Amino acid sequence: MKHLLPVLFLIMLCVRIDAQETDPIKVIIELVEEVAASNEDEDSEIDFEQIYEHFANLLDNPVNLNTATRADLEQLYMLNDFQISSFIEYIKNNGKMMSKYELALVHGFDDALAESLYPFVTADSGYEYVARSDTAKFKDMIGRGRHQIIARTKQLLEKQAGYKDDATSKFQSSPLSLYVRYSYQYADRLKWNITTEKDAGEKYLDFISGHVQYDSKKFLKRLVIGDFQAQFGQGLVLWNGFGMSRSVIGTAIRKRARGIYGYSATDENKYFRGVAANMEFHKFNVSMFASHKNRDATITDSTGNVFKTLQATGLHRTESEIDGKNSISETALGGNINYEYKNLRAGISGIWHKFGADYVRDLQPYNMFELNSPSNCNYSADVRWMWKRIILFAETAFDANAKNASLIGANFSLEQNIQLSLLYRNYARDYQSLYAQSFGDGSKTQNEEGFFIATTFSPSRNMTLSGYFDIFAFPWLKYRVNAPSQGYSYAFRIDYLLNPAVKMYINVKQKSNKQNYTPPDGHIAMTVDRAEFHVKYNVNYTLFGKLLMQNRIEYATSKRGNEPREKGFMVFQDIAYHFTAFPLNISMRYAYFDTDSWNTRVYAYESDMLYAYSVPAYYMKGRRLYLNMRYSITKQINLWLRASQTHYSNRESIGSGTARIDGNRQTEIKAQVIIKL
């Protein structure tokens, strides 16, 4: 998670949705669960909030199949490049679709894919007039749209150390978290948003964000005033928002940039604040932006002119955290120019940013090549070329010191049911980019070289085989790795649809790399091999049409150097039911886990409220339960309630520092209401 949605939504080909009786909220939650299940970088921070936002917006403003461009179809994220080309060819040869249910007739589509798309597309000419026409007057846009209010609260019932009277670093307020958001939207023309949030322990509604976004089909395609994000190229220079480096559906490696768009999530760092615009001149598309905002940092002198770290937690609970709040300014200018002609698209991107204080790190050998100055600039050139069943893409970038990062990749459709992808990347150890987020094993677009190959094969309509192999090397030191190193990872998955009511998969993955290790009787760390292995079996099935069940068992091992191999497992049972007599949905889970340590932890996405998410790490020994309920008071008002608890059988405390809980239980309650007018 660590952005908007990469093409990993290919996995949603397996999602079965009843086209006639679709619960829109259930649809979105199922899609997010599929993305979480496919993520191979489980330590990454997937921005589920933005996934929810994107697909909720598509439910209200579906893509019109009869007027959709390639860019529109890419934003559905369920279609691969070859299916998009096939759809465009279908429209060209057969004319406009009479109904969206005609999708199943397109070459390369099947019933499951078509059903997954139905909630997010339309072929209705009436919608085309309302949502696509540029003839709407401004008074209509500000008076005939839809309002939405979201209010959410949550709290841990057990007292953490930071709330105790004798705490050395005491939290400033109650453990209650608050989130309030108001948004307005008129079709796909005009929207605005205000988001506020108070984290647990913070004194006030600590974060306020907002924007106004205007879209048209004329010269000025988009204008955003306020908070926004930007995605260009393949992420070597600039990529805010959702994105994952690897998925078991590895053929989805080409990033699909959204350009500029309004920001409405709650991450207090990964956005710009100012003005951004997108314009179109014939075959040229131009985006540009200017931003100025304050950022959290650790100040190192009394004048406030020097800082050593950028704080990314967004938490302001204690005096030291409050001291770093908005302590430095940052100014940024950037943009992108794209040229598209037939099957070729080429572009250039750039960003310049400057802090209002000197950036002076505490230098260590592993970070001596990272950004350590108050300003930097990055620029790149990217290209995408399509020919029949082959798509080539590449980007090369440079920083202010002319250090380079490059990648080149290709997607092949060997047959309708066979996809192959290749990608090579080479990021210099001293390439510096604060906003880059590209494909790689490391968390930064820096100090890495690697080659990735992936394939997806469907031997029958009921079975899909997919997997990847990635080999990588780090020419310089890394955090907790005191020498140049290398490694590899692989994963493969078998999806099987027994019938429309039962689907299952088996997923196997392994990663081998290097890590520092200090022997119990030693004082000097050495670099040793570390190997991690996971295998999981998951089955989803529906009983009586309304009762949904899910079972999963996952086994993990971890071995470092000559230490004994650590082991762990987790098993859970999910139950979800949609009542027909009254508008109530419930879902619950019972999970049991037993792992030797944090090294064999297991992650599992949990059903949560719309726009909220939970992906806890199951480790040590214990059990976890949750109950999630949604009640539709009216068509315009939905209420959620959620309670969860983790109980450890071999721990006397949970967490550390100010977050420490004395005891072996951790209980959280949540409530949320969404009002649409």
Side-chain angles (χ1 to χ4, degrees):
M1 260 335 304
K2 275 180 184 172
H3 313 289
L4 165 90
L5 319 179
V7 193
L8 300 176
F9 277 102
L10 288 171
I11 52 178
M12 295 184 294
L13 296 176
C14 301
V15 178
R16 302 291 297 183
I17 302 171
D18 189 324
Q20 303 300 323
E21 299 181 5
T22 298
D23 178 355
I25 295 175
K26 177 177 174 291
V27 170
I28 299 175
I29 291 175
E30 284 185 353
L31 300 184
V32 174
E33 288 176 349
E34 287 291 330
V35 171
S38 74
N39 179 32
E40 296 304 313
D41 294 316
E42 292 180 316
D43 290 327
S44 63
E45 299 177 1
I46 304 175
D47 200 338
F48 290 109
E49 189 175 357
Q50 291 197 38
I51 305 177
Y52 280 128
E53 172 70 18
H54 180 69
F55 278 92
N57 181 64
L58 284 176
L59 284 174
D60 291 334
N61 299 280
V63 172
N64 192 316
L65 296 172
N66 290 324
T67 60
T69 64
R70 177 175 288 273
D72 294 330
L73 296 171
E74 285 185 349
Q75 294 312 308
L76 290 169
Y77 291 101
M78 283 175 269
L79 300 175
N80 62 41
D81 293 312
F82 308 102
Q83 289 164 336
I84 292 175
S85 296
S86 179
F87 174 84
I88 294 173
E89 187 69 18
Y90 180 90
I91 295 293
K92 180 180 178 181
N93 295 333
N94 299 280
K96 292 185 177 181
M97 287 186 166
M98 301 300 294
S99 166
K100 64 183 179 182
Y101 301 111
E102 197 176 333
L103 271 175
L105 302 178
V106 179
H107 179 70
F109 287 59
D110 57 22
D111 292 340
L113 173 58
E115 290 172 2
S116 298
L117 288 166
Y118 290 152
F120 308 107
V121 299
T122 183
D124 181 66
S125 59
Y127 169 82
E128 179 182 351
Y129 174 79
V130 173
R132 297 288 180 174
S133 173
D134 280 328
T135 61
K137 296 180 180 180
F138 187 72
K139 66 177 182 180
D140 294 328
M141 287 190 275
I142 63 173
R144 297 184 179 179
R146 299 183 63 178
H147 303 265
Q148 178 174 271
I149 299 172
I150 305 172
R152 180 169 64 243
T153 182
K154 66 178 180 179
Q155 181 173 334
L156 284 177
L157 298 186
E158 292 80 12
K159 181 176 286 189
Q160 295 176 307
Y163 297 106
K164 296 181 178 180
D165 294 334
D166 58 350
T168 55
S169 295
K170 188 175 176 60
F171 293 157
Q172 299 296 299
S173 187
S174 74
L176 188 70
S177 297
L178 296 173
Y179 168 90
V180 180
R181 175 182 164 192
Y182 162 72
S183 60
Y184 173 88
Q185 182 159 353
Y186 174 81
D188 61 350
R189 294 290 308 280
L190 177 69
K191 63 181 177 180
W192 60 73
N193 173 90
I194 298 175
T195 301
T196 63
E197 183 191 44
K198 170 195 174 298
D199 291 309
E202 293 179 340
K203 198 169 185 180
Y204 308 107
L205 286 170
D206 182 78
F207 176 65
I208 301 177
S209 173
H211 73 270
V212 177
Q213 179 174 311
Y214 170 78
D215 292 272
S216 78
K217 303 301 174 184
K218 299 180 180 179
F219 162 74
L220 179 63
K221 306 289 289 183
R222 174 168 293 175
L223 176 66
V224 184
I225 300 174
D227 296 341
F228 60 91
Q229 292 187 314
Q231 298 176 348
F232 300 129
Q234 292 299 305
L236 293 182
V237 165
L238 178 57
W239 194 278
N240 293 134
F242 177 82
M244 291 191 292
S245 290
R246 283 193 301 252
S247 163
V248 69
I249 310 299
T251 52
I253 60 174
R254 184 178 69 84
K255 286 181 177 287
R256 297 177 175 183
R258 294 182 67 193
I260 56 172
Y261 56 97
Y263 179 70
S264 54
T266 55
D267 188 294
E268 300 185 22
N269 297 281
K270 297 178 181 178
Y271 68 93
F272 296 105
R273 175 167 289 174
V275 60
N278 175 252
M279 295 155 286
E280 194 167 85
F281 312 83
H282 302 293
K283 298 183 184 302
F284 288 91
N285 187 284
V286 179
S287 298
M288 57 184 67
F289 66 86
S291 168
H292 182 82
K293 68 170 187 176
N294 293 325
R295 297 191 57 156
D296 295 357
T298 303
I299 301 297
T300 58
D301 71 342
S302 58
T303 65
N305 293 326
V306 179
F307 71 99
K308 67 177 181 179
T309 58
L310 292 168
Q311 297 179 6
T313 64
L315 298 174
H316 309 109
R317 305 162 300 177
T318 64
E319 291 184 2
S320 61
E321 291 174 346
I322 294 173
D323 288 342
K325 180 182 178 182
N326 295 332
S327 55
I328 63 165
S329 64
E330 182 190 29
T331 301
L333 302 172
N336 169 268
I337 300 175
N338 263 307
Y339 174 79
E340 189 162 358
Y341 179 71
K342 294 185 178 179
N343 293 329
L344 174 69
R345 186 177 69 189
I348 56 175
S349 305
I351 182 173
W352 169 87
H353 64 93
K354 180 178 177 60
F355 298 115
D358 290 334
Y359 192 4
V360 181
R361 289 179 178 272
D362 287 338
L363 290 179
Q364 303 292 330
Y366 76 89
N367 70 3
M368 63 183 297
F369 294 111
E370 295 181 12
L371 183 65
N372 194 37
S373 64
S375 65
N376 189 34
C377 68
N378 300 89
Y379 49 95
S380 73
D382 67 274
V383 64
R384 184 209 67 196
W385 179 65
M386 297 184 296
W387 180 70
K388 295 185 178 180
R389 295 186 174 186
I390 301 174
I391 297 179
L392 302 177
F393 59 94
E395 183 175 18
T396 187
F398 296 88
D399 63 13
N401 299 312
K403 305 303 181 182
N404 173 255
S406 298
L407 66 76
I408 183 170
N411 290 332
F412 303 89
S413 180
L414 305 180
E415 294 291 343
Q416 177 181 337
N417 60 340
I418 303 177
Q419 309 290 327
L420 176 68
S421 293
L422 306 172
L423 186 142
Y424 170 76
R425 73 269 191 191
N426 191 341
Y427 311 145
R429 65 179 184 178
D430 43 4
Y431 176 71
Q432 300 173 351
S433 181
L434 189 64
Y435 291 101
Q437 187 173 313
S438 189
F439 186 97
D441 180 80
S443 60
K444 298 179 180 178
T445 305
Q446 180 185 46
N447 184 38
E448 181 173 344
E449 182 178 9
F451 180 76
F452 179 91
I453 181 171
T455 186
T456 296
F457 171 53
S458 299
S460 69
R461 295 179 65 88
N462 293 336
M463 179 179 291
T464 300
L465 310 177
S466 52
Y468 71 80
F469 181 79
D470 189 27
I471 185 169
F472 45 84
F474 305 104
W476 187 247
L477 285 57
K478 294 182 59 183
Y479 178 65
R480 298 180 66 188
V481 185
N482 291 345
S485 60
Q486 61 284 321
Y488 68 87
S489 65
Y490 68 81
F492 65 86
R493 172 166 158 166
I494 303 173
D495 287 89
Y496 185 71
L497 186 66
L498 183 63
N499 57 55
V502 181
K503 62 179 180 179
M504 61 188 73
Y505 69 81
I506 297 175
N507 193 107
V508 177
K509 66 177 181 178
Q510 179 163 334
K511 182 175 182 178
S512 177
N513 58 3
K514 303 289 186 180
Q515 191 178 83
N516 288 347
Y517 171 64
T518 303
D521 56 350
H523 303 284
I524 300 177
M526 63 180 70
T527 302
V528 299
D529 292 323
R530 182 184 67 167
E532 296 179 346
F533 176 81
H534 286 253
V535 58
K536 74 175 80 168
Y537 170 74
N538 188 94
V539 58
N540 295 67
Y541 48 98
T542 304
L543 301 175
F544 317 117
K546 297 294 181 181
L547 181 63
L548 280 69
M549 312 283 280
Q550 181 180 11
N551 304 94
R552 180 183 301 174
I553 182 168
E554 182 164 354
Y555 175 74
T557 67
S558 177
K559 182 172 175 57
R560 185 176 61 173
N562 294 323
E563 291 183 321
R565 185 180 302 275
E566 297 181 309
K567 302 176 183 179
F569 79 92
M570 181 272 296
V571 60
F572 70 66
Q573 170 69 62
D574 281 0
I575 302 174
Y577 189 76
H578 174 65
F579 291 88
T580 55
F582 46 99
L584 176 66
N585 288 269
I586 62 171
S587 58
M588 60 187 73
R589 170 177 296 176
Y590 177 85
Y592 179 79
F593 53 94
D594 187 356
T595 76
D596 290 339
S597 73
W598 174 258
N599 296 327
T600 49
R601 63 194 179 278
V602 175
Y603 291 93
Y605 180 90
E606 298 181 345
S607 179
D608 209 309
M609 305 169 175
L610 188 62
Y611 300 109
Y613 58 91
S614 177
V615 191
Y618 295 80
Y619 69 102
M620 303 304 287
K621 185 177 182 179
R623 60 184 184 271
R624 179 169 171 82
L625 306 91
Y626 73 76
L627 173 65
N628 195 37
M629 296 185 293
R630 173 168 65 92
Y631 182 74
S632 298
I633 300 174
T634 68
K635 289 184 177 181
Q636 291 76 33
I637 304 176
N638 281 272
L639 175 67
W640 277 265
L641 295 172
R642 190 178 196 271
S644 61
Q645 184 182 82
T646 304
H647 179 275
Y648 295 94
S649 58
N650 59 348
R651 303 181 66 180
E652 296 181 355
S653 65
I654 304 171
S656 61
T658 54
R660 177 187 172 94
I661 295 174
D662 292 328
N664 63 350
R665 295 185 181 184
Q666 182 171 298
T667 309
E668 182 184 69
I669 57 173
K670 287 184 180 180
Q672 174 174 279
V673 62
I674 297 182
I675 303 172
K676 291 187 175 183
L677 303 174

